[in-house]
Amino acid sequence: MLAWPDGTWTPLLFGGEAELPSAVLLPPEGDTLTGHQAWQAAVSAPDRFIPAPRQSPEQHLSIAGQQVEVVDLVAATLRRVAAHAQDTVGFPLQDVRLVVPAGWGPRRRTWLRHAAHRAGLPQPRLVEAPVAVAGHLLATGVQLPVGAFIVVCDVGAGAEVSVLRRGPAGFEVLATLADPAAGGTAIDDALAATLAATSPPQGDGQRWALAASVGAAKHALAGRAAVTVPLPDASAVVLTAGLLEQAAQPVLQRVADLTAEAIAAAEVSVQDVAGVYCVGGVARLPLLQKVLTESLPLMPIVVAEPATAAVRGAADVGAVDAAAAAVSSEGEPVPPVRRAAGIAVPGFASLGLISQFLLTAEWHGALMYRQAWLNWGELAMAAVFAMIASLGAGTVLASALAARPTTTPVSPGSQIGTGILASASLAVAVAGMYAVVGSLYIGEPVNGFLRWALLPVVPVVAAAAVMALVAARQWRIPQGGWSRLLAFPTGSVVTAGLGMLLIQYSVTADRWPNMVLWIDIAGRVGGALLGVGTVMAVVSQPVLRLILGAPLAVITAALVSWPATGMLGAIYAVAVAVWWLRQLWTRLLRPHTPARLPG
């Protein structure tokens, strides 16, 4: 798995698959074959094939009369992964994380570090598989408060069941039990024995060919009722889901027994377990859930893409920092003090714009037929800034309350959702107040004021309502918490607000002959700043801001005039709406879409 600091990720594919078998084969000449290539060559050179070198208890193996260190065999697979990753991203790897079983002691962990070193990798960070899975659950929005107990059933080639408790500083493994004969390898052996009963394989080459066919058929049966399995030197046979369940039943029953034993070893009551989460390749089999449900008074949950869940958790894919996430009992970090600037800046900007809007109205006509020329764009921006400030303030307060220990039945997610809705309602009320006060002060009908004050904030209110629903139902916690999600870029507010102030000055200032040039320049500069602020709201990458900001600044500077003031304000209101909708889509609704590779 390739992961970047912003939480985006891309799976490494080997032959179109995201999983690479650990098998290796030492040919008489040339480089060591790994993965599917090793399996394909096993038929012709069975004496040089090792299906699972990591599971070997020996330090050295005799392969075709040659003594080979097991650590070199594992290093061959790691070397292939490292080379493929470096070729994919185009630069050397900077951070390497390897997932290890929780039951591994210091000797085996040191052994794996030696394998990584021989593969040419930087010093790796070892992450225990159940801890990585628990981190992945948090990243995908699963609510696990401090003090909660969970069970992770990792059923791959073998089985490892761990009981974890979430503490203030992260997850702690309370107990872990493993059985290499309670996983996919044992199921494959049972299926192979059943299929080979009528036509036993002749020699190790045919045995490995049968094992490869059985493994592929087992995975295919996860979504089919029957598959055809080719047999070496014999007619193909049909493998049904019934035969698979018959072979897997005793193996998966052992997984259920391990789960009960692990809970007992952790001295935890079954009623205190918040959830049982199944990962690993065998978790795709529906029979695993059935067996666990029949053996335990718990409903097991199969994690999405169970074969790669531990890897994604170890890579912190979309996850918040562990220390920050642990501050809150429900995974909601306490908002930092600097969030106050994100509230005060748009709040004061809104007050400044609405004040200038009311105090600098341009009057035309005679005494009985006077008409006010108003900068409707300035009113729209004042309403939008009020919305930004209100949502920021309400979310920060709700997040701070959610992070405090409480005995009330109201969940932190409900508090945050209520805070978002209350803040949006307050902002709409403020925008409506701007319209009513403006109508009374200017003495014009309120229709136009309401239209320019309320319509620009409607898309933001809709996005906030969806966010409130997500928070209240606790479907997902965004990276960094809700207060960070709703923290609108302060630089955009300052730049665009200053631009609109200059625009209003340029169209309403007394045009003395010696000041005309400077007044016009102020207006053009204000238009350019408004364009730059618009780009800052829509685009976050500095390079794209530079590329898009220059032409838009020129366009908005050229548009500065009385008739176009409303258009300029509307442009910025649309940009703010786009920012909110993007936050809703990329951070909540679809937060884990794989990123495009650099370049």
Side-chain angles (χ1 to χ4, degrees):
M1 189 74 65
L2 293 173
W4 283 268
D6 61 356
T8 56
W9 57 277
T10 300
L12 280 175
L13 300 181
F14 299 88
E17 297 184 8
E19 302 171 36
L20 178 66
S22 60
V24 296
L25 186 141
L26 284 177
E29 298 179 354
D31 297 332
T32 302
L33 300 180
T34 60
H36 297 291
Q37 298 174 354
W39 274 100
Q40 293 168 1
V43 178
S44 58
D47 57 331
R48 296 178 174 274
F49 177 69
I50 306 94
R54 198 196 72 172
Q55 299 178 3
S56 173
E58 305 295 335
Q59 296 295 322
H60 296 79
L61 293 177
S62 179
I63 301 175
Q66 178 184 359
Q67 290 293 318
V68 178
E69 291 188 70
V70 176
V71 68
D72 287 333
L73 301 179
V74 175
T77 299
L78 294 178
R79 190 177 300 112
R80 179 181 175 188
V81 173
H84 185 33
Q86 185 165 328
D87 291 342
T88 303
V89 300
F91 50 83
L93 303 178
Q94 299 176 353
D95 183 11
V96 176
R97 304 180 187 183
L98 302 178
V99 177
V100 298
W104 273 23
R107 184 179 64 85
R108 299 213 69 175
R109 293 170 189 251
T110 302
W111 174 82
L112 186 59
R113 288 190 179 95
H114 288 165
H117 176 71
R118 296 195 183 186
L121 292 170
Q123 182 68 19
R125 171 181 155 192
L126 304 186
V127 184
E128 294 182 339
V131 175
V133 172
H136 174 66
L137 295 175
L138 286 182
T140 53
V142 177
Q143 298 295 312
L144 298 175
V146 172
F149 300 95
I150 65 169
V151 177
V152 175
C153 292
D154 190 346
V155 192
E160 182 183 67
V161 181
S162 303
V163 181
L164 297 88
R165 175 184 180 275
R166 187 181 180 190
F171 287 92
E172 173 190 7
V173 179
L174 301 181
T176 183
L177 296 176
D179 188 346
T185 300
I187 296 175
D188 291 349
D189 292 343
L191 285 175
T194 301
L195 297 181
T198 56
S199 178
Q202 303 297 320
D204 288 339
Q206 291 189 3
R207 181 165 65 91
W208 295 130
L210 177 60
S213 298
V214 167
K218 180 188 68 177
H219 290 299
L221 279 175
R224 297 180 177 85
V227 294
T228 302
V229 182
L231 298 180
D233 297 333
S235 301
V237 298
V238 176
L239 179 62
T240 65
L243 288 175
L244 174 59
E245 290 190 3
Q246 182 180 350
Q249 176 71 36
V251 178
L252 299 184
Q253 184 59 52
R254 175 55 183 154
V255 176
D257 295 340
L258 280 177
T259 304
E261 294 169 8
I263 294 175
E267 299 180 351
V268 174
S269 172
V270 176
Q271 288 73 23
D272 294 333
V273 175
V276 177
Y277 298 93
C278 302
V279 296
V282 179
R284 301 189 186 102
L285 298 180
L287 183 61
L288 177 60
Q289 278 185 299
K290 178 181 177 182
V291 172
L292 288 174
T293 302
E294 293 175 350
S295 303
L296 297 169
L298 296 169
M299 177 60 69
I301 300 172
V302 176
V303 179
E305 299 183 30
T308 59
V311 179
R312 284 178 285 163
D316 292 333
V317 169
V320 299
D321 181 76
V327 174
S328 164
S329 61
E330 289 289 336
E332 177 62 26
V334 177
V337 177
R338 66 176 181 273
R339 290 283 187 267
I343 302 169
V345 170
F348 285 115
S350 176
L351 293 176
L353 290 178
I354 193 63
S355 299
Q356 188 187 44
F357 169 78
L358 296 175
L359 297 176
T360 61
E362 188 81 4
W363 293 94
H364 295 269
L367 180 63
M368 298 296 296
Y369 302 98
R370 297 183 68 192
Q371 181 181 14
W373 287 14
L374 300 172
N375 184 348
W376 296 115
E378 192 169 29
L379 174 59
M381 289 183 61
V384 169
F385 286 165
M387 173 67 72
I388 294 172
S390 297
L391 280 172
T395 308
V396 166
L397 291 176
S399 299
L401 291 174
R404 296 177 57 190
T406 179
T407 58
T408 61
V410 180
S411 67
S414 298
Q415 289 179 321
I416 294 171
T418 303
I420 293 175
L421 284 180
S423 302
S425 301
L426 174 62
V428 172
V430 170
M433 182 190 69
Y434 284 172
V436 173
V437 171
S439 173
L440 295 175
Y441 184 84
I442 301 298
E444 297 283 347
V446 74
N447 296 346
F449 293 88
L450 288 174
R451 181 170 59 251
W452 284 96
L454 296 180
L455 288 182
V457 301
V458 168
V460 180
V461 172
V466 177
M467 291 178 178
L469 178 63
V470 172
R473 299 299 297 271
Q474 302 183 44
W475 288 330
R476 180 172 289 115
I477 297 176
Q479 179 181 358
W482 288 98
S483 64
R484 180 178 174 184
L485 172 73
L486 304 185
F488 189 81
T490 305
S492 172
V493 174
V494 173
T495 305
L498 180 59
M500 182 53 75
L501 288 173
L502 291 175
I503 291 173
Q504 180 69 352
Y505 166 75
S506 70
V507 297
T508 59
D510 294 331
R511 304 179 69 83
W512 298 100
N514 60 334
M515 292 293 294
V516 171
L517 177 61
W518 298 108
I519 292 173
D520 288 341
I521 291 176
R524 303 305 173 185
V525 171
L529 289 176
L530 182 61
V532 172
T534 300
V535 172
M536 292 174 67
V538 177
V539 181
S540 58
Q541 293 85 354
V543 175
L544 287 179
R545 283 181 173 179
L546 182 63
I547 295 174
L548 299 177
L552 185 59
V554 172
I555 294 173
T556 51
L559 288 175
V560 173
S561 62
W562 260 121
T565 52
M567 181 190 302
L568 293 173
I571 290 174
Y572 187 76
V574 170
V576 173
V578 169
W579 184 88
W580 282 87
L581 295 175
R582 186 185 64 184
Q583 292 289 95
L584 175 62
W585 180 254
T586 62
R587 300 284 298 280
L588 282 180
L589 301 182
R590 295 290 297 274
H592 303 306
T593 302
R596 293 180 179 270
L597 294 175

